[in-house]
Amino acid sequence: MAQRDDSVGIIQQELTAFARRARATAARMHPELSLVSYTLLAHLEDQKGCRATDLAAHYLLDKSTVSRQISALERLGFVERRVDPDDHRVQVLHPTELGAQVLASAGAQRRQAFTDRLADWDDADLERFAAYLLRYNEAQQCLG
Amino acid sequence: MAQRDDSVGIIQQELTAFARRARATAARMHPELSLVSYTLLAHLEDQKGCRATDLAAHYLLDKSTVSRQISALERLGFVERRVDPDDHRVQVLHPTELGAQVLASAGAQRRQAFTDRLADWDDADLERFAAYLLRYNEAQQCLG
DNA sequence: CAATTCGGGTTGTACTATGCAACGAACAGG
DNA sequence: CCTGTTCGTTGCATAGTACAACCCGAATTG
């Protein structure tokens, strides 16, 4: 049991340390797209467009926060709003061509940074690490 | 190689998703100690006291940010400053008794949340996951 | 149809976290 | 001493965030 507790403690500590540095790391990697903007824009691309309310629900953010983030992204020309013809309250958000490019570029930089950092890992370890993270985050989703 | 790239991509995505939620999660778990305050205070306890500059270097923060965070923690009575007798520029920071209690309480809540979330993992998986996270973060340190 | 409620977004306000630049204080070496 | 370096604080600016109050359009209901 002590061994198990140790493992949990390390996992807690190391994930916390990572989270603590993530924002600054993102800012250094791609200054043009903050971690928040990156995740919102990536979600829009994944979902092939969605509403501001959906983003708020998915990232546990207040709708006002999302509204401002989207305004900023629109000002930068990274997202565009399309009013839903069936319900004029709703704006369906999509990345613009430019937004998609910037997102791809930031994504490539993130990917490269991770590739470098994991360069000396062997394939089997990488695969298991990826599987563990997936499993961990799936469990987290369920807690709301 | 494709398999390897997939693994890297998943690791990038899942760590990003975790980071994105960490702040809000911490706020829900222990409202009296934000993620930032928690990590700084925890580091002080781990290191049995250290300088503001050390905290800044470790967490990639500006020294002014650390200065203000420490001021806030001092105002709350969670840390105390001891001027180094050998160098009057330096303040060695320590958690107070109260700070240690609050830290222990927040730590217990974090620990419990992780224990719950990892309840159905077997010991060997936990140990390997912990080892992977340690290895990952060690590599990150070196890039600083 | 009119009135009410509901859902999606925006805006006002306030607060926290953060960085950069300018500074002050103290040490270190000539 | 004078100069450069290190540690920390403070002034200023900015981003991210929440909450509450609001507006607008849609749905419901009497």
Side-chain angles (χ1 to χ4, degrees):
Chain A
M1 213 66 243
Q3 177 57 62
R4 190 178 175 84
D5 285 351
D6 284 353
S7 297
V8 172
I10 291 170
I11 291 166
Q12 190 265 126
Q13 176 183 317
E14 297 303 312
L15 280 177
T16 302
F18 174 80
R20 191 56 201 71
R21 293 194 209 99
R23 184 193 221 184
T25 305
R28 273 182 303 150
M29 264 193 282
H30 40 78
E32 75 288 358
L33 208 55
S34 76
L35 186 62
V36 178
S37 302
Y38 176 80
T39 53
L40 294 184
L41 202 49
H43 195 77
L44 290 187
E45 181 153 270
D46 273 4
Q47 304 292 304
K48 307 194 185 313
C50 73
R51 302 174 307 166
T53 298
D54 300 332
L55 291 175
H58 192 258
Y59 291 108
L60 302 178
L61 293 171
D62 191 82
K63 58 185 180 166
S64 67
T65 300
V66 174
S67 173
R68 282 182 241 263
Q69 288 290 330
I70 295 299
S71 295
L73 287 173
E74 189 188 29
R75 230 175 295 124
L76 292 167
F78 294 168
V79 303
E80 100 193 296
R81 315 163 112 109
R82 303 182 192 157
V83 172
D84 184 336
D86 295 345
D87 183 341
H88 285 209
R89 292 170 306 182
V90 171
Q91 303 172 354
V92 182
L93 306 168
H94 293 267
T96 60
E97 187 59 37
L98 175 61
Q101 281 169 24
V102 171
L103 180 62
S105 155
Q109 285 173 67
R110 294 181 74 78
R111 165 82 63 130
Q112 187 58 53
F114 278 81
T115 299
D116 292 349
R117 200 169 302 149
L118 298 165
D120 62 346
W121 291 46
D122 71 37
D123 291 10
D125 281 339
L126 278 188
E127 201 174 335
R128 254 177 302 183
F129 188 31
Y132 285 152
L133 287 169
L134 272 175
R135 184 175 174 191
Y136 178 83
N137 276 345
E138 269 163 25
Q140 187 162 257
Q141 292 290 0
C142 302
L143 297 182
Chain B
M1 210 69 236
Q3 175 59 60
R4 189 177 175 85
D5 286 351
D6 284 353
S7 298
V8 172
I10 290 170
I11 291 166
Q12 190 263 124
Q13 177 182 317
E14 296 303 312
L15 281 176
T16 301
F18 175 79
R20 189 60 199 70
R21 292 192 218 102
R23 183 189 137 112
T25 305
R28 273 180 300 149
M29 262 193 283
H30 40 78
E32 75 288 357
L33 209 54
S34 78
L35 185 61
V36 178
S37 302
Y38 175 80
T39 53
L40 295 184
L41 202 50
H43 194 78
L44 290 187
E45 181 151 271
D46 273 5
Q47 305 291 305
K48 308 196 185 313
C50 73
R51 302 173 307 164
T53 298
D54 300 333
L55 292 175
H58 193 257
Y59 290 109
L60 301 179
L61 292 171
D62 191 81
K63 57 187 178 161
S64 66
T65 300
V66 173
S67 173
R68 282 182 242 265
Q69 288 291 330
I70 295 299
S71 296
L73 288 173
E74 189 188 28
R75 229 175 297 124
L76 291 168
F78 294 169
V79 304
E80 104 194 292
R81 315 162 112 111
R82 303 181 193 157
V83 173
D84 183 337
D86 294 344
D87 183 342
H88 284 209
R89 292 170 305 182
V90 172
Q91 302 174 356
V92 183
L93 306 169
H94 292 268
T96 59
E97 186 60 36
L98 175 60
Q101 281 170 24
V102 171
L103 179 62
S105 155
Q109 284 173 68
R110 294 182 75 78
R111 165 83 63 131
Q112 186 59 53
F114 278 80
T115 299
D116 292 350
R117 200 169 302 149
L118 297 166
D120 62 347
W121 291 47
D122 69 38
D123 290 10
D125 281 338
L126 279 188
E127 201 173 335
R128 255 177 303 183
F129 188 30
Y132 285 152
L133 287 169
L134 272 176
R135 183 174 175 193
Y136 178 83
N137 276 346
E138 269 162 27
Q140 186 162 254
Q141 292 289 1
C142 301
L143 298 182

